[in-house]
Amino acid sequence: MKNKLSKIEKKWQVKDVDKEKIKDVCSQLGVTPAVAQVLINRNITEMEEAKKFLKPSLKDLILPERFTQMEEAVEKIVETIKEGKKVFVYGDYDVDGITATSILCRFFDAVGAKYNFYIPHRIEEGYGLNTAALDEIAQSGAALLITVDCGVCSSKEVDYAVHLGMDVVITDHHVPEEKLPEAASAVIHPMLDDYPSPKSCGAMVAMKLAWALCEEYRGSGLSDKQCRDLLLISTDFASLGTVADVMPLTGENRSLISYGLNSLRLSSLPGIRALMNAAGLSGKSLDTFDLSFRISPMLNAAGRMGHARLAVELLTTDNDIRALRIAEYLKEQNNQRKKIEKRILKEASHLISATGLDHPDRRSIIIAGEEWHLGIVGIVASRIIEKFYKPTILLNSDGKLSTGSARTIEGFNILNAINACSDHLVKFGGHSEAAGITIETENLPRFVEDFEEYAKENVSDDSLIQKLEIEGWFGIKNFSPKTFQQLEKIAPFGKGNPRPLFAARGIRLEGSPQKIGAAKEHLRFVIRDAGGRMPCVAFKMASYYNKLLESDYFSVAFEPIFNEYNGEKRPQFVIRDFKFD
């Protein structure tokens, strides 16, 4: 048991608790001590700042004109539409690209523009602009190409599009290269020209373009109601893109998601309603977990298992029956994805153990398999990190070429690591947290060796230990129903605003734990300390059953979350980790 537990041991990084500062915040803001600690940790201690944080509004969204080239983009698009020429939207196959594409398609449909859209095939074409697609788009009569969620690093392809006779407007959010595509008529990008919210997703950028276009057409092509409806739909779609692309939920992103979670729940769009129904969420309140793990995977399944065009059709159709059919199909595709993911994870885990890549001295994991679905290896790489916590690259090998995805641990820039070993590669691309590579299989051993050497120089022993960022030490008595209610107001939770995690010492078990779930892999139990008691659930932690029974006292890291059952909310702790004295 000891060895099994040590594999999942985590380092607790518990923030200091300043009781006097907590007392001041409690007095000023009318919150309980645990909530005050969370706000202090997020540097929110002033009344006006706290009001804005706890009650985010769409009024906090940044105006489109803050993008310095927005005027040029709008002018070019309006000119193209008025001349009766064709516009083409070029997107990406993930949720961010799908929602960004859908935002602009809905606008062009509303103003009666001649338009179409193109999304590359994930496996056959890969990410971004490619010349074969540009040939096809130009031959269809397109006069203007608008990129969403791609394009800022495609100078050669933009030059080629212009050579084919198309104007190009770029909207993107990926890290730009030092030299922007000079041939583009406009580049709309949140990391340029001191834009106040550089961590925006592609759909958010597309939403700002649609907003600016709506203002241009308001009263002369679009009524106030049409503009309002289009912008609210765009906000819903941008909410999906923001959560799916793991953008920080701070600033205007927080305002967007706070509105979007409620708006999506009440949406009258056939595609959104069909998605909610397929996910079993109809009529229920939504949180970021629902968007991340129940809705987004179905939209992503279109690109992973087939073609993402189907997901765009789902979000842009006004036909209820068609929407239901597409949503049910995507649900089935996602179920197939889960089965394939489970198989690849099992094969990859066995290969890692068999080849010794799980040895403590190893700093990275790179493995290749046959018939590993290219649309799914990225997800499995993330699962491998959850299990072994090392930078991971999973590749599918067809004999001559090996292609796949890379994921990383906190603090290790995976793109920099790949770039350092890029002499071995056919091509690569991505960002600091995720990337894709293609390599000739015969060169794979040398790449593995060089990558591991780079990792040994840049990955310390400490960085290979998972960290739990904990708000502070608090006793059970601090978690009254009022505290639970106030903690809910800190939502939406996600990157940049994680769900509050606390720690408590001197905990003992009350009664015996129960193993629950179909596979009996979860635990339900009650804990007690000197100040109170609390029911708990610990997911996938049944291996602690005997240790809990054997221990007189222990410490817990936990998330205070209401347990909703039959319409009733009851306080409980969701346990994230144990420490035994």
Side-chain angles (χ1 to χ4, degrees), residues 120-194:
H121 191 280
R122 178 186 285 268
I123 296 174
E124 295 175 4
E125 297 175 86
Y127 171 78
L129 301 173
N130 67 81
T131 55
L134 294 175
D135 284 332
E136 181 182 329
I137 291 168
Q139 289 167 12
S140 75
L144 172 63
L145 183 74
I146 305 175
T147 73
V148 292
D149 195 29
C150 65
V152 77
C153 296
S154 302
S155 291
K156 290 182 180 179
E157 290 79 6
V158 171
D159 289 344
Y160 186 69
V162 173
H163 170 73
L164 293 174
M166 294 182 286
D167 292 315
V168 180
V169 169
I170 294 171
T171 76
D172 199 356
H173 75 120
H174 293 91
V175 178
E177 295 177 343
E178 186 173 340
K179 188 175 182 181
L180 298 174
E182 294 180 347
S185 298
V187 179
I188 312 298
H189 196 293
M191 293 184 187
L192 301 177
D193 304 316
D194 297 320

Side-chain angles (χ1 to χ4, degrees), residues 40-235:
I40 291 167
N41 291 341
R42 284 154 175 73
N43 297 313
I44 300 166
T45 56
E46 301 298 328
M47 179 66 75
E48 289 304 313
E49 189 179 20
K51 284 181 179 179
K52 191 173 181 179
F53 181 81
L54 297 173
K55 293 184 178 180
S57 167
L58 285 183
K59 294 179 181 179
D60 299 328
L61 293 183
I62 300 163
L63 295 174
E65 52 261 37
R66 291 297 299 272
F67 287 103
T68 56
Q69 296 189 38
M70 183 63 77
E71 185 177 347
E72 291 90 334
V74 170
E75 183 178 330
K76 178 59 66 177
I77 294 167
V78 171
E79 174 189 311
T80 304
I81 295 173
K82 287 182 175 179
E83 291 177 355
K85 295 178 180 178
K86 191 174 185 179
V87 180
F88 238 95
V89 182
Y90 194 114
D92 186 31
Y93 40 69
D94 67 0
V95 174
D96 191 22
I98 289 165
T99 50
T101 301
S102 300
I103 287 169
L104 292 188
C105 285
R106 280 202 163 266
F107 169 81
F108 291 132
D109 192 55
V111 298
K114 292 180 181 178
Y115 79 95
N116 206 335
F117 70 92
Y118 188 94
I119 293 183
H121 191 280
R122 178 186 285 268
I123 296 174
E124 295 175 4
E125 297 175 86
Y127 171 78
L129 301 173
N130 67 81
T131 55
L134 294 175
D135 284 332
E136 181 182 329
I137 291 168
Q139 289 167 12
S140 75
L144 172 63
L145 183 74
I146 305 175
T147 73
V148 292
D149 195 29
C150 65
V152 77
C153 296
S154 302
S155 291
K156 290 182 180 179
E157 290 79 6
V158 171
D159 289 344
Y160 186 69
V162 173
H163 170 73
L164 293 174
M166 294 182 286
D167 292 315
V168 180
V169 169
I170 294 171
T171 76
D172 199 356
H173 75 120
H174 293 91
V175 178
E177 295 177 343
E178 186 173 340
K179 188 175 182 181
L180 298 174
E182 294 180 347
S185 298
V187 179
I188 312 298
H189 196 293
M191 293 184 187
L192 301 177
D193 304 316
D194 297 320
Y195 183 75
S197 183
K199 296 292 185 180
S200 297
C201 73
M204 175 72 104
V205 180
M207 186 267 277
K208 294 297 179 69
L209 176 58
W211 184 352
L213 287 166
C214 279
E215 293 304 316
E216 185 71 20
Y217 275 84
R218 187 186 294 273
S220 59
L222 291 175
S223 67
D224 285 346
K225 183 180 184 305
Q226 284 176 307
C227 286
R228 180 180 181 278
D229 290 345
L230 276 171
L231 292 178
L232 292 181
I233 289 169
S234 298
T235 301

Side-chain angles (χ1 to χ4, degrees), residues 321-338:
I321 295 175
R322 180 61 178 157
L324 286 170
R325 287 175 176 170
I326 295 175
E328 285 301 318
Y329 176 75
L330 293 183
K331 179 180 180 180
E332 177 56 33
Q333 290 290 90
N334 190 46
N335 288 336
Q336 289 298 318
R337 186 269 305 170
K338 291 177 182 177

Side-chain angles (χ1 to χ4, degrees), residues 1-9 543-544 547:
M1 177 63 69
K2 183 177 180 181
N3 290 337
K4 188 171 185 179
L5 291 178
S6 65
K7 285 185 178 180
I8 56 175
E9 186 174 352
S543 58
Y544 284 96
K547 187 68 175 176

Side-chain angles (χ1 to χ4, degrees), residues 168-454:
V168 180
V169 169
I170 294 171
T171 76
D172 199 356
H173 75 120
H174 293 91
V175 178
E177 295 177 343
E178 186 173 340
K179 188 175 182 181
L180 298 174
E182 294 180 347
S185 298
V187 179
I188 312 298
H189 196 293
M191 293 184 187
L192 301 177
D193 304 316
D194 297 320
Y195 183 75
S197 183
K199 296 292 185 180
S200 297
C201 73
M204 175 72 104
V205 180
M207 186 267 277
K208 294 297 179 69
L209 176 58
W211 184 352
L213 287 166
C214 279
E215 293 304 316
E216 185 71 20
Y217 275 84
R218 187 186 294 273
S220 59
L222 291 175
S223 67
D224 285 346
K225 183 180 184 305
Q226 284 176 307
C227 286
R228 180 180 181 278
D229 290 345
L230 276 171
L231 292 178
L232 292 181
I233 289 169
S234 298
T235 301
D236 289 348
F237 290 176
S239 298
L240 282 169
T242 297
V243 173
D245 237 39
V246 200
M247 293 293 104
L249 300 190
T250 55
E252 71 166 351
N253 286 345
R254 176 177 172 81
S255 300
L256 180 82
I257 302 304
S258 296
Y259 175 85
L261 288 172
N262 189 54
S263 181
L264 284 164
R265 180 178 66 88
L266 301 173
S267 177
S268 61
L269 284 184
I272 295 297
R273 289 205 315 268
L275 272 175
M276 295 296 175
N277 183 65
L281 295 170
S282 295
K284 298 180 180 180
S285 60
L286 298 177
D287 58 22
T288 51
F289 179 89
D290 295 321
L291 299 194
S292 294
F293 298 103
R294 301 183 72 174
I295 295 174
S296 292
M298 286 193 290
L299 288 172
N300 264 328
R304 294 188 189 282
M305 305 297 290
H307 203 292
R309 285 190 65 91
L310 200 58
V312 175
E313 183 182 348
L314 173 65
L315 295 181
T316 55
T317 185
D318 291 319
N319 185 306
D320 289 299
I321 295 175
R322 180 61 178 157
L324 286 170
R325 287 175 176 170
I326 295 175
E328 285 301 318
Y329 176 75
L330 293 183
K331 179 180 180 180
E332 177 56 33
Q333 290 290 90
N334 190 46
N335 288 336
Q336 289 298 318
R337 186 269 305 170
K338 291 177 182 177
K339 292 178 182 177
I340 296 172
E341 177 189 330
K342 187 176 181 180
R343 173 183 64 81
I344 297 175
L345 178 59
K346 183 178 180 180
E347 293 176 6
S349 298
H350 176 76
L351 187 58
I352 289 167
S353 297
T355 55
L357 292 176
D358 57 346
H359 192 279
D361 291 341
R362 293 288 305 187
R363 289 293 186 267
S364 65
I365 293 174
I366 303 176
I367 50 174
E370 297 179 358
E371 298 183 3
W372 285 1
H373 197 296
L374 283 177
I376 298 175
V377 289
I379 303 175
V380 179
S382 297
R383 300 289 179 267
I384 293 295
I385 288 177
E386 290 174 6
K387 193 171 183 179
F388 298 100
Y389 207 66
K390 297 177 182 181
T392 298
I393 303 177
L394 249 63
L395 303 160
N396 176 69
S397 179
D398 64 6
K400 184 178 180 181
L401 290 177
S402 293
T403 303
S405 295
R407 298 293 185 268
T408 192
I409 61 175
E410 184 178 352
F412 183 74
N413 188 311
I414 196 73
L415 187 60
N416 287 348
I418 291 171
N419 187 49
C421 312
S422 59
D423 289 347
H424 302 298
L425 303 177
V426 174
K427 62 178 181 178
F428 70 98
H431 51 79
S432 61
E433 297 176 1
I437 72 168
T438 298
I439 184 171
E440 292 182 0
T441 304
E442 64 180 10
N443 293 330
L444 187 55
R446 290 189 291 276
F447 174 76
V448 171
E449 184 178 337
D450 287 356
F451 190 93
E452 174 65 13
E453 284 302 311
Y454 181 93

